[in-house]
Structures are given as C-alpha cells and as structure tokens.
C-alpha cells in the first residue's frame, strides 16, 4: 500500500512566523486532504486538494500529484495554530485515505 | 449543517462489559467511517460503510462490531475489549468514498 511521510515531525515557531509542512507519498493518488487536530482531538478538514493550489485565509496548500508531494503553508502563525497537522492521500488502488505520520506544531506567544 | 456528532464523549468500561459508540450526521453523506487513534499516532481506519453497506473492514477483531441502521447513523458495538483497545475512536462522513471527510469530536475509550 501507499506510504505517506510528513516533515518536519516537530516544529516550534514564534507567533507571526511562517512555515511550510511537506507530505510525500509513495504512489499515485486520486485525492488528498490536509487536517488540523487540536489539543482536544478534534480533526478539522483544512483542504481537499487532489491537485493544484488552494488558499483559505492564512493557510494555503499545493499538491503536485505527478511528483508525489503536497505542501501546506501557514503564514503569520498564531497560538491557535498549535496542534498536529496530518495529510491523508487516497490509495488509488483501494480508495482508502491513508494518514501520514503528522507534523506536531507549537506556536509560542 | 456540517457537523458529525459522537456519543458518549468519554467511556470507561471493564473487559467483560458491552457498550456501544454512536455517530450521527445530517449532511446527506453516503459514506461513513470508524477510525481508531492511539496517543501520538495518526488515525487508523477500521471500517467504511458506503450506502449503508460495509465496504471496508480493516481486519478488525470481532470484539468490535459496526452497524449502520440508516444513512445518518453509525454504531460501533464493543464487547470483551482489552486494555490495549483504549484509544480515541473517531467517526467521519463524506458525500461518497474518497470525497472530503468531516470528523466528529471522538469518543475517548478507556478499558480497565
């Protein structure tokens, strides 16, 4: 099955800083999602982005499916951005979403 | 309404108990999912229902029994669990399989 790796595994930022999170996957995918999991465990869907670029406020995402990666950009980070960010591409053979290893982000005031 | 609800929020059960987790959505979604998440790990898929039929079972032990009574409801029946089954259980729904998923807040299960 598809393998999904995210980098960096941990990231500490000062409030106001920008960051780029990366998701690499080992095989072709049909779709890809980015999620933010807050400290209470709630998973929030940030982007549904099989290809191309999307923006939502301070966040934007780019998926280049042919090169098997996706990027999540966070600009002007806030303490409420803290938590774990997961990417989840679909395995094109099984149509299952496979969650990556996650990036744990802490934003300091 | 883009909300998926789960009850209960917390559950403590003994290894001989029988309990059920409940998940509900009113977005007209036809795919529903159960995931299990251990601390500091990504969610792991357990079951997928599509149009109220079990579509995917990730070789989950039979002490976990899913049920989809109608298109809005998803249950997970638990019996004879082990302490290692303690985890956050997450429910999600999507319009169809491989479409955008919406997650509920989860049930934190502790097996004693």
């Amino acid at each position: 099955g598809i393998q999904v790796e995210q980098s960096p595994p941990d990231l500490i930022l000062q409030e106001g800083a920008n960051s780029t999170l990366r998701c690499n996957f080992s095989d072709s995918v049909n779709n890809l999602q980015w999620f933010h999991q807050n400290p209470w465990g709630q998973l929030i869907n940030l982007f549904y982005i099989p290809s191309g670029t999307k923006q939502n406020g301070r966040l934007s995402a780019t998926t280049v499916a042919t090169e098997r990666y996706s990027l999540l950009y966070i600009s002007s980070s806030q303490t409420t951005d803290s938590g774990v960010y997961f990417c989840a591409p679909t395995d094109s053979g099984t149509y299952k979403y496979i969650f990556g290893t996650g990036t744990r982000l802490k934003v300091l005031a | 309404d883009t909300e998926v609800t789960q009850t209960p929020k917390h559950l403590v059960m003994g290894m001989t108990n029988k309990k059920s987790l409940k998940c509900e959505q009113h977005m007209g979604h036809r795919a529903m999912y159960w995931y299990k998440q251990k601390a500091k790990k990504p969610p792991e898929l357990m079951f997928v229902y599509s149009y109220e039929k079990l579509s995917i079972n990730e070789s989950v032990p039979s002490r976990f029994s899913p049920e989809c009574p109608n298109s809005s409801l998803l249950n997970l029946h638990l019996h004879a669990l082990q302490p290692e089954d303690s985890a956050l259980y997450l429910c999600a729904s999507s319009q169809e399989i491989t479409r955008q998923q919406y997650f509920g807040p989860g049930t934190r299960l502790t097996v004693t």
Side-chain angles (χ1 to χ4, degrees), chain A residues 35-52:
Chain A
F35 292 94
H36 173 222
Q37 188 166 39
N38 67 23
W40 297 271
Q42 175 75 60
L43 272 165
I44 305 296
N45 195 306
L46 300 175
F47 293 101
Y48 173 77
I49 182 165
S51 63

Side-chain angles (χ1 to χ4, degrees), chain A residues 18-91:
Chain A
N18 303 328
S19 62
T20 301
L21 281 54
R22 187 176 180 100
C23 171
N24 290 332
F25 36 94
S26 61
D27 209 340
S28 60
V29 300
N30 298 113
N31 291 301
L32 186 140
Q33 302 179 99
W34 280 98
F35 292 94
H36 173 222
Q37 188 166 39
N38 67 23
W40 297 271
Q42 175 75 60
L43 272 165
I44 305 296
N45 195 306
L46 300 175
F47 293 101
Y48 173 77
I49 182 165
S51 63
T53 297
K54 289 187 177 181
Q55 180 146 10
N56 185 0
R58 296 181 296 104
L59 303 181
S60 65
T62 296
T63 296
V64 185
T66 53
E67 296 187 23
R68 300 182 184 172
Y69 73 89
S70 183
L71 302 174
L72 178 69
Y73 305 94
I74 304 174
S75 64
S76 304
S77 58
Q78 301 175 356
T79 56
T80 51
D81 295 332
S82 296
V84 184
Y85 289 81
F86 291 106
C87 71
T90 47
D91 184 317

Side-chain angles (χ1 to χ4, degrees), chain A residues 31 33 35 37 39-43 45 48 86 90 94-97 99-101 104, chain B residues 33 35 37 40-43 45 56 58 88 90 97-101 103-105 108:
Chain A
N31 291 301
Q33 302 179 99
F35 292 94
Q37 188 166 39
W40 297 271
Q42 175 75 60
L43 272 165
N45 195 306
Y48 173 77
F86 291 106
T90 47
T94 63
Y95 298 98
K96 293 185 288 190
Y97 279 110
F99 278 74
T101 48
R104 191 170 300 271
Chain B
Y33 311 76
Y35 287 84
Q37 187 177 24
K40 298 190 186 299
K41 296 290 187 184
L45 183 65
I56 296 174
E58 289 288 90
L88 179 66
L90 293 160
I97 288 179
T98 78
R99 299 294 293 274
Q100 184 171 355
Q101 291 178 309
F103 277 80
R108 289 199 182 275

Side-chain angles (χ1 to χ4, degrees), chain B residues 4-83:
Chain B
V4 177
T5 60
Q6 288 187 245
T7 54
K9 285 187 170 49
H10 300 273
L11 179 61
V12 179
M13 60 185 290
M15 289 189 284
T16 58
N17 291 157
K18 288 185 181 181
K19 297 285 184 184
S20 296
L21 309 184
K22 180 180 172 181
C23 173
E24 195 164 6
Q25 57 87 14
H26 295 288
M27 295 178 276
H29 289 173
R30 303 316 299 266
M32 296 187 77
Y33 311 76
W34 281 115
Y35 287 84
K36 174 183 177 179
Q37 187 177 24
K38 301 283 274 185
K40 298 190 186 299
K41 296 290 187 184
E44 294 179 358
L45 183 65
M46 300 175 72
F47 303 103
V48 181
Y49 274 83
S50 178
Y51 289 86
E52 299 161 50
K53 293 192 185 315
L54 185 62
S55 176
I56 296 174
N57 177 342
E58 289 288 90
S59 302
V60 177
S62 59
R63 57 185 184 268
F64 296 91
S65 176
E67 179 196 20
C68 189
N70 60 57
S71 60
S72 301
L73 275 175
L74 187 64
N75 298 320
L76 186 63
H77 303 298
L78 316 171
H79 71 97
L81 293 193
Q82 304 297 310

